[in-house]
Amino acid sequence: MNTKAAMLGVITATLLVAGSLWPEPRLELAWGVIVELLRLLPLILIVAVLAGWLAASELAQRFRGWLTSRPGRAILTASLIGAVTPVCGIASVPLVAALLRQGVPVAAAMAFWLSSPITDPGMLLLTAGILGWPFAAGKLLGAFLLGIGAGAVVQGICHWSPQTRWVRQEALEQDAPGSSDTGCRVHFLAESTATFLLVLRWLAFALTLEALVRSHLGDAGFIAMASVEGSWAVPLAVAIGGPLYIEGYAALPLLRSLIDMGLTPGAAMAFLISGAAISLYSALAVWSLVRPLMFVLYLVLGIAGALAAGWMTDLAGLMGSG
């Protein structure tokens, strides 16, 4: 384990202990983080295996070549795949890291990072059942358009400044495997192990921060969202939804209740998109791969996309009977 990884582990443990003891002892906070981390272990294992496959598979190499040939096609493909696949933000990052090491454009990575956590087939059906099909379809379209728009912006910036290095060097470093089957197996195991440890470290940190934010903010943010009227409801929802991310399936019944209390559909849409696209899970993992300027751009694009989706939802009146 390198120095940065060890420091992250120490910081996570310190925050978890401090949050559990201050301002009053609350051991359920630490226990909740541990239980959630254990619940997500199967997902981490799946992501690690996929990352290993992307690094060693011949089929994956052909797919990478298809993506790298045309940036526009790569952005469109990444946005489409991201909008329909059940990959959360932190899980998508190591998969994209394996592709970045093989030359996939960072614009396509940005498209996938922002579109993939927002929805998936199961989420689409549940959203339709609770908030109506127009709202669910609007959320799916918003994920797709956010990916395309963000990818196009990043591609334009990369074209304007082709010499700038946007990805951290350590994210691109990987020992080259041999051409033999043994070399491929070694590469698969190395990539899978590195990915597992990477996701485990950052996910533990993100879960700890989320638990601290939620425990100290409590219900005040949700009450404020439901009480604000007009166009300011959407920016407030983005400000609350980003750091105070609630897992999408749990957020839907809550938002249904808040809408009945006066929350606008646009604010609900902005809350869901910002909470998924730029949540602590996603943001911390993206930070581990890209340089600060690209990370700031990631946040700006995610916030702008959530705001646009929220305001457009209110203008279009995308709300079914639920």
Side-chain angles (χ1 to χ4, degrees):
M1 181 180 294
N2 58 36
T3 303
K4 290 183 178 179
M7 287 180 60
L8 182 63
V10 171
I11 292 172
T12 301
T14 302
L15 289 174
L16 196 58
V17 171
S20 299
L21 298 178
W22 183 87
E24 58 185 20
R26 287 175 297 177
L27 295 181
E28 64 272 13
L29 187 147
W31 178 245
V33 171
I34 294 172
V35 168
E36 185 66 15
L37 194 61
L38 291 174
R39 186 181 72 83
L40 291 172
L41 271 180
L43 174 62
I44 301 175
L45 287 171
I46 292 173
V47 169
V49 171
L50 284 175
W53 175 79
L54 284 172
S57 168
E58 223 176 278
L59 178 62
Q61 290 175 9
R62 288 197 292 268
F63 178 67
R64 289 193 295 265
W66 187 79
L67 284 180
T68 54
S69 60
R70 293 184 181 177
R73 182 168 61 184
I75 292 170
L76 182 64
T77 302
S79 301
L80 181 60
I81 294 175
V84 299
T85 52
V87 181
C88 70
I90 199 166
S92 70
V93 169
L95 299 180
V96 174
L99 293 173
L100 285 173
R101 282 194 285 269
Q102 302 299 323
V104 171
V106 68
M110 183 67 73
F112 190 76
W113 281 332
L114 287 173
S115 63
S116 63
I118 296 175
T119 190
D120 58 63
M123 179 66 70
L124 179 69
L125 293 175
L126 187 61
T127 302
I130 295 177
L131 299 177
W133 272 109
F135 188 96
K139 186 183 176 193
L140 177 63
L141 180 62
F144 179 61
L145 293 179
L146 175 57
I148 291 178
V153 170
V154 173
Q155 180 60 28
I157 292 176
C158 291
H159 181 74
W160 171 69
S161 181
Q163 302 303 319
T164 302
R165 302 181 67 174
W166 302 107
V167 181
R168 294 181 187 273
Q169 183 60 35
E170 55 267 29
L172 298 176
E173 291 174 350
Q174 184 73 21
D175 294 334
S179 58
S180 65
D181 291 339
T182 301
C184 289
R185 286 196 295 270
V186 170
H187 196 194
F188 171 83
L189 291 173
E191 185 73 36
S192 298
T193 302
T195 298
F196 179 83
L197 295 175
L198 171 71
V199 177
L200 189 66
R201 288 194 299 267
W202 285 103
L203 190 56
F205 186 44
L207 286 171
T208 300
L209 287 182
E210 180 200 357
L212 291 173
V213 171
R214 189 183 302 180
S215 65
H216 286 84
L217 183 59
D219 297 328
F222 300 120
I223 295 173
M225 279 199 327
S227 62
V228 173
E229 298 180 357
S231 58
W232 286 105
V234 170
L236 180 60
V238 172
I240 295 174
L244 190 65
Y245 172 62
I246 296 181
E247 197 274 334
Y249 291 100
L252 292 173
L254 171 64
L255 290 174
R256 177 76 258 182
S257 299
L258 291 175
I259 288 171
D260 293 338
M261 294 168 55
L263 182 72
T264 69
M269 181 71 79
F271 181 87
L272 288 172
I273 289 181
S274 64
I278 55 172
S279 67
L280 289 171
Y281 298 110
S282 302
L284 289 173
V286 172
W287 170 262
S288 71
L289 293 181
V290 299
R291 294 182 180 273
L293 195 56
M294 182 58 69
F295 178 76
V296 171
L297 182 59
Y298 154 80
L299 292 179
V300 169
L301 290 171
I303 292 171
L307 289 172
W311 285 324
M312 289 301 297
T313 297
D314 279 339
L315 287 174
L318 296 181
M319 179 56 64
S321 57

